[in-house]
Amino acid sequence: MTYDQMARTPMHRWWRPVLGTVVVAAGYLLVSLIVLLGGMLFAVMAGVEISMTGAIPFADPVLGLAVMLLSIAAALPVVFGAAWLIQRRPPGTLSSVLGRLRWGWMLLCVPVALGAGVLGHLTASIVFGLTGGEMPAGIGWAGWDTFISGLAVTLILVPIQAASEEYLFRGWLIQAFGAFLRTPWPGIVLGSAGFAALHRYTGWGIVDVFAFGVVAGWLAVRTGGLEAPIALHVVNNVLGLGISSASGDLEGALEQGAVAWQALASSAVQLTVFVVVVLLLARRRGVETTTPGREVSPPLPINT
């Protein structure tokens, strides 16, 4: 069976994906609230000013970054728990068709994502220059203290945060729809819509994030797992937040907001290069796209 159909186990019943989705959504909101309240308590104890006027309620952008990333990362055990307790299947089936995360394959995708990201940033510079658009804040230097603190939080928490979003919006949702449907596209599209709604971007930024979600979802199905999407997501966030940490503009990065249309050219190049190279590597390495020794199964009958 393909990646999107991994929830079609002998224990599948029509209500399990439905109940699981409700539990995952409620659990995500609950753990996010707990992390936010914990962050505010820490801020009070540490003497950090709390302000409710921005996207984050902290005057210290590094603390705000840590709380934001943790609030998303905390959803990961919720997704795993729903697969195990409600759908009665190994959580590893959310990772790939082999029932586990293929670490070697994921690490191979990291330099590909890095190269694609660099090409995307270069494309943005060229397009903004040719069109006379106002380039977003670029690479600057705010000092080692600012850079190191922001980079440390980024490197520690972004891999978990990005993986959590992939397991939630690509893994869980695609497989929840795949438990009933032959095509993965409803899960890909709705998961991408939820992914875009999680962010605070407006205008072209919504299109950008939605397109990222669609490509990541399609890659998950096409490569048989979340490894390539996680690698792309982690590298994308580390690059963006690393640049913001260096320039001292973490607060602006957390605000998100409007995105110029020229930035879509950067994303188009980044995603295209990543997809093409990853698919070539997957074919050369013989990456499994279906469960070994099993044919793609038809939709299971709805049992009570």
Side-chain angles (χ1 to χ4, degrees):
M1 64 177 69
T2 55
Y3 175 76
D4 55 302
Q5 299 171 342
M6 293 296 288
R8 298 184 184 184
T9 68
M11 294 297 295
H12 170 62
R13 302 295 183 270
W14 71 267
W15 54 268
R16 292 189 188 276
V18 177
L19 176 60
T21 300
V22 173
V23 169
V24 167
Y28 169 67
L29 293 176
L30 178 61
V31 295
S32 296
L33 179 60
I34 292 174
V35 170
L36 177 59
L37 292 177
M40 296 180 72
L41 178 61
F42 176 83
V44 171
M45 296 176 61
V48 177
E49 181 182 353
I50 297 177
S51 172
M52 303 303 294
T53 58
I56 54 172
F58 306 105
D60 183 355
V62 175
L63 176 59
L65 174 65
V67 170
M68 182 196 72
L69 295 177
L70 276 173
S71 68
I72 300 172
L76 191 56
V78 176
V79 178
F80 286 162
W84 180 43
L85 296 173
I86 297 176
Q87 291 190 319
R88 301 295 187 184
R89 61 182 174 117
T93 56
L94 288 162
S95 299
S96 77
V97 293
L98 296 187
R100 59 176 173 80
L101 196 65
R102 299 168 293 187
W103 286 94
W105 169 235
M106 184 172 66
L107 292 177
L108 183 61
C109 292
V110 169
V112 180
L114 182 59
V118 171
L119 287 175
H121 281 285
L122 291 176
T123 300
S125 300
I126 295 172
V127 173
F128 273 101
L130 292 176
T131 60
E134 183 178 354
M135 185 75 177
I139 299 177
W141 185 247
W144 283 107
D145 290 342
T146 301
F147 175 61
I148 292 298
S149 58
L151 183 64
V153 170
T154 297
L155 292 178
I156 292 171
L157 295 181
V158 159
I160 309 173
Q161 167 262 328
S164 182
E165 290 187 347
E166 292 306 314
Y167 275 99
L168 175 59
F169 293 107
R170 256 63 76 181
W172 178 270
L173 284 178
I174 288 177
Q175 292 184 357
F177 281 93
F180 305 103
L181 304 175
R182 291 180 180 273
T183 173
W185 283 106
I188 292 175
V189 171
L190 291 178
S192 301
F195 178 65
L198 180 68
H199 296 76
R200 294 187 176 90
Y201 290 110
T202 59
W204 291 108
I206 298 176
V207 177
D208 193 17
V209 177
F210 179 80
F212 182 98
V214 170
V215 170
W218 180 77
L219 267 180
V221 177
R222 184 66 178 77
T223 61
L226 292 178
E227 296 88 358
I230 289 174
L232 175 63
H233 201 155
V234 170
V235 170
N236 187 70
N237 286 9
V238 168
L239 281 176
L241 292 174
I243 292 173
S244 297
S245 297
S247 62
D249 191 35
L250 267 181
E251 187 174 356
L254 296 177
E255 288 285 347
Q256 298 181 345
V259 173
W261 67 265
Q262 291 94 332
L264 296 182
S266 169
S267 296
V269 170
Q270 177 190 17
L271 295 177
T272 300
V273 170
F274 184 75
V275 166
V276 170
V277 177
V278 161
L279 291 182
L280 289 174
L281 285 175
R283 177 178 297 180
R284 176 174 297 182
R285 290 176 58 90
V287 173
E288 299 87 348
T289 59
T290 60
T291 50
R294 298 178 63 178
E295 298 295 330
V296 176
S297 60
L300 296 180
I302 297 177
N303 299 322
T304 57

